[in-house]
Amino acid sequence: MARLQQGMRNLDIELTNRCNALCTFCPRDKTPEQGFMPFETFTKTIERALELDVTPKVHSAGQGEPTLHPRFADIVDHVSSKGLEYGFTTNGSLLTEELSRRVLDSSVEHICFSISDLGEDYEEVYALSFDTTRANILRFLDMNEAAGNPVRTQVSLVAHDLNREKLADYQAFWSEAGISEFCHFEQTNRGGACDIGLYFVDNQRHSEDARRILQENGLTHVCVVPFVMLFVGWNGQYYLCCNDYRKLTPLGSVFDHSIEAMDVIKKAKFFEQEIPAACLNCDLDTTNIVREVLFEIEAGEAPPGRLQEKTAELIARQQHYPDFVLAEPVA
């Protein structure tokens, strides 16, 4: 297989898949064995990142709350000592003044606050105290400003059934607090772990039609996400994709495989006879994206032109990441 280029890489190191929130849109009950990444596993994962010709951006989001990790401050210090660009996603509920100071004294480049609701809505969705979370985030913003704003801050807003009409107000709230960057996401089905009413799940209808449409448009079925959004679970296993919420497709340990070697292993998965378990019901899978549009057209929920729009989007994505999706499969 042609060697994959190393640019445009994001490495998500899952410090834990445990979480103190109970978000209604998160299938927490589908998460398998839970735990904390051993410190030695984290340092080995950082070694793997440093082996690449172009070091990826390193982030800790995973499927849990990273600040729950008992050695989170040590982890931040270790990344700082390696000179890496590092950030983490947090719900903010545990961001104490002491931890905020530790973060500001390190080389943390950015923090993404995952907080898609406010007030009573927040407490209903997250099952956490909004007053505590708000106070923690506002205090951090003040401390960050006093330090010259070394940490880039942003808010992640996930659209779900309870907040769609309020997202503009939520963004305005955090904008007034001093945050200028926002990430807007539609809720995904987490590799099939979360039921969000998609037609294609648990059946193979329209599969042949979807494959034909991909072929006619010069599109590959290989998904870009496993190669651009690298994911290492708390147990040190590489997984095919960050959307593999149930961790159905472990591929090997960071102690045994480099990231470059894992690119080869991942590519081979897409050319095996069986569809990878992580992809079978995933709404990020290229074939499933086309299938869902076909189902929507069939149900009268989308015009026929929607298929052309979606294939154009897929073509643009493929052209943006040719080194990943178009590399030759392993012989």
Side-chain angles (χ1 to χ4, degrees), residues 21-280:
L22 298 172
C23 302
T24 56
F25 55 82
C26 179
R28 179 63 43 191
D29 59 326
K30 300 293 180 63
T31 305
E33 181 183 2
Q34 298 181 8
F36 296 106
M37 177 175 279
F39 188 71
E40 297 74 16
T41 304
F42 180 80
T43 59
K44 185 63 180 181
T45 307
I46 294 298
E47 285 181 28
R48 293 303 190 190
L50 291 169
E51 291 172 352
L52 293 171
D53 294 338
V54 179
T55 306
K57 295 181 180 180
V58 181
H59 193 88
S60 291
Q63 295 153 0
E65 171 54 46
T67 60
L68 276 174
H69 197 288
R71 297 193 64 180
F72 181 73
D74 295 330
I75 284 168
V76 168
D77 288 344
H78 179 74
V79 178
S80 178
S81 72
K82 299 299 180 180
L84 290 172
E85 180 178 325
Y86 180 68
F88 61 94
T89 294
T90 176
N91 59 42
S93 64
L94 302 176
L95 194 60
T96 63
E97 183 174 357
E98 179 182 359
L99 182 56
S100 295
R101 178 59 57 197
R102 194 76 172 265
V103 167
L104 288 168
D105 289 341
S106 73
S107 65
V108 168
E109 192 273 338
H110 69 278
I111 295 178
C112 180
F113 294 109
S114 179
I115 177 168
S116 302
D117 299 88
L118 299 179
E120 293 180 356
D121 291 341
Y122 174 87
E123 297 193 352
E124 177 183 354
V125 172
Y126 288 72
L128 295 172
S129 166
F130 177 70
D131 288 343
T132 298
T133 296
R134 177 180 56 188
N136 287 348
I137 295 175
L138 293 180
R139 180 180 58 235
F140 180 84
L141 294 175
D142 288 341
M143 294 171 66
N144 192 36
E145 183 179 10
N149 292 308
V151 180
R152 180 167 58 90
T153 57
Q154 58 186 180
V155 168
S156 170
L157 296 169
V158 179
H160 56 81
D161 291 342
L162 300 179
N163 72 356
R164 290 184 184 276
E165 304 303 318
K166 304 176 183 179
L167 286 174
D169 293 336
Y170 295 164
Q171 178 168 326
F173 176 90
W174 291 114
S175 181
E176 291 175 6
I179 295 178
S180 59
E181 292 188 36
F182 296 88
C183 300
H184 290 268
F185 297 103
E186 284 293 324
Q187 184 181 357
T188 69
N189 76 347
R190 315 291 180 100
C194 184
D195 182 6
I196 57 175
L198 296 170
Y199 288 108
F200 73 83
V201 173
D202 287 333
N203 70 78
Q204 285 301 303
R205 281 189 60 215
H206 292 312
S207 293
E208 290 187 11
D209 289 337
R211 286 191 286 267
R212 175 182 53 79
I213 290 167
L214 291 175
Q215 185 176 16
E216 290 174 351
N217 285 276
L219 285 161
T220 176
H221 70 290
V222 178
C223 180
V224 69
V225 177
F227 303 100
V228 177
M229 303 298 294
L230 311 170
F231 184 79
V232 177
W234 69 267
N235 55 4
Q237 283 283 316
Y238 292 100
Y239 289 91
L240 186 63
C241 176
C242 58
N243 216 38
D244 185 5
Y245 202 81
R246 292 172 291 183
K247 294 184 168 60
L248 299 173
T249 311
L251 300 175
S253 170
V254 293
F255 290 98
D256 299 323
H257 303 281
S258 67
I259 291 174
E260 188 174 279
M262 191 50 56
D263 285 336
V264 177
I265 293 171
K266 289 178 180 178
K267 181 55 70 80
K269 276 290 179 183
F270 284 99
F271 291 92
E272 292 179 356
Q273 186 173 0
E274 295 293 328
I275 299 173
C279 305
L280 189 62

